[in-house]
Amino acid sequence: MESSANYKVLVVDDEPDILEILEYNLQKEDFKVRTADNGKDAIKIAQEFVPDLILLDIMMPEQDGVETCRLLREIPEFSNTLILFLTARTEEYSEVAAFDAGADDYITKPIKPRALISRLNALFRRKSLTTVKGDRIIAGDLHIDRSSFIVTFKGKEFQLPKKEFELLSFFAQNPNRVFNREELLQNIWGTDVYVLARTVDVHIRKLREKIGEGYIVTVKGVGYKFELA
């Protein structure tokens, strides 16, 4: 695993005290840190700094965190950047909105710096466990060969139906990202064919029967994500 010194973190919050505390604690762990106090500046700094992870508050002036996250995800270089929300909002709809915008994780305030850093290291560790080499994706015990449609799981080789294979490949290439059913339908089935949202659940159930329950995780009220321990 890479050391913290190799990771860049952008912290975005309109509370100066929180920015100061997080910057101090992250730098102490050798992360490279930049800060912003609003969403618009965050996007400008992100394009210059190109962070590996963005800590993003929801309630901010000028442009809130959810809109900022959505706009960042529209920029190709940030499509796979880790985005973690920090917020005092505890309502379920705020969490759903954050994940719908493309968040990887969601933590409520007050923030405990040591716990936060442990969470960041876990996210980086999980992301580093997935590698893409040409037509091959390696994610833990899963080896996916996109040229032959062959999946190897714990040494056992098998073939999947086309849509199951495409769904698994999509998840494995986007670890820790939460996708709702509509996003999965659009990415796997496209917009030209009418498919019920329930189809996603059926395909995920079939995949879990073959690779176990641990990889594709249900995020209540939002959708699914691919997660490595």
Side-chain angles (χ1 to χ4, degrees), residues 10-217:
L10 172 61
V11 184
V12 188
D13 200 297
D14 63 334
E15 296 184 45
D17 290 347
I18 289 178
L19 286 180
E20 184 178 345
I21 290 169
L22 291 179
E23 183 177 21
Y24 170 78
N25 281 277
L26 288 166
Q27 288 179 339
K28 192 168 67 172
E29 296 295 322
D30 292 328
F31 289 100
K32 297 173 183 176
V33 184
R34 292 283 300 275
T35 63
D37 60 9
N38 66 78
K40 289 184 177 179
D41 285 348
I43 292 175
K44 294 176 184 176
I45 293 170
Q47 290 175 307
E48 171 198 335
F49 184 51
V50 192
D52 300 291
L53 184 144
I54 300 171
L55 292 172
L56 192 59
D57 187 28
I58 286 186
M59 299 298 292
M60 293 186 296
E62 296 189 51
Q63 184 172 284
D64 66 31
V66 171
E67 177 67 7
T68 301
C69 181
R70 187 187 65 77
L71 292 171
L72 283 166
R73 288 301 190 206
E74 292 177 354
I75 302 172
E77 63 188 308
F78 302 120
S79 61
N80 289 311
T81 300
L82 292 169
I83 299 180
L84 184 89
F85 273 96
L86 302 173
T87 179
R89 304 291 295 269
T90 58
E91 307 94 342
E92 184 176 343
Y93 69 81
S94 293
E95 186 172 351
V96 170
F99 282 123
D100 281 346
D104 293 289
D105 210 344
Y106 184 99
I107 296 178
T108 54
K109 297 176 181 178
I111 300 162
K112 298 178 180 178
R114 289 181 63 183
L116 174 63
I117 288 167
S118 293
R119 183 80 70 95
L120 300 194
N121 285 328
L123 285 170
F124 283 128
R125 184 168 60 251
R126 289 170 182 167
K127 189 173 185 179
S128 70
L129 289 172
T130 299
T131 58
V132 179
K133 298 179 180 179
D135 286 330
R136 295 185 64 83
I137 305 168
I138 301 171
D141 292 325
L142 271 174
H143 291 215
I144 302 168
D145 190 328
R146 290 179 290 181
S147 63
S148 64
F149 280 72
I150 290 176
V151 174
T152 304
F153 179 59
K154 294 184 177 180
K156 182 180 178 181
E157 191 176 282
F158 55 91
Q159 285 188 302
L160 293 172
K162 187 172 186 291
K163 289 305 179 186
E164 285 182 38
F165 183 87
E166 290 176 356
L167 183 60
L168 181 61
S169 298
F170 179 76
F171 272 128
Q173 290 178 88
N174 297 279
N176 302 305
R177 282 282 306 279
V178 179
F179 295 95
N180 61 37
R181 290 172 180 83
E182 289 71 25
E183 289 172 317
L184 294 171
L185 285 172
Q186 183 174 349
N187 279 281
I188 307 304
W189 282 267
T191 56
D192 296 331
V193 180
Y194 177 72
V195 182
L196 293 173
R198 183 69 179 165
T199 301
V200 173
D201 301 334
V202 172
H203 280 70
I204 287 174
R205 176 176 55 78
K206 290 180 178 178
L207 283 174
R208 284 171 169 167
E209 289 172 356
K210 294 161 185 169
I211 63 171
E213 300 282 336
Y215 281 93
I216 302 174
V217 178

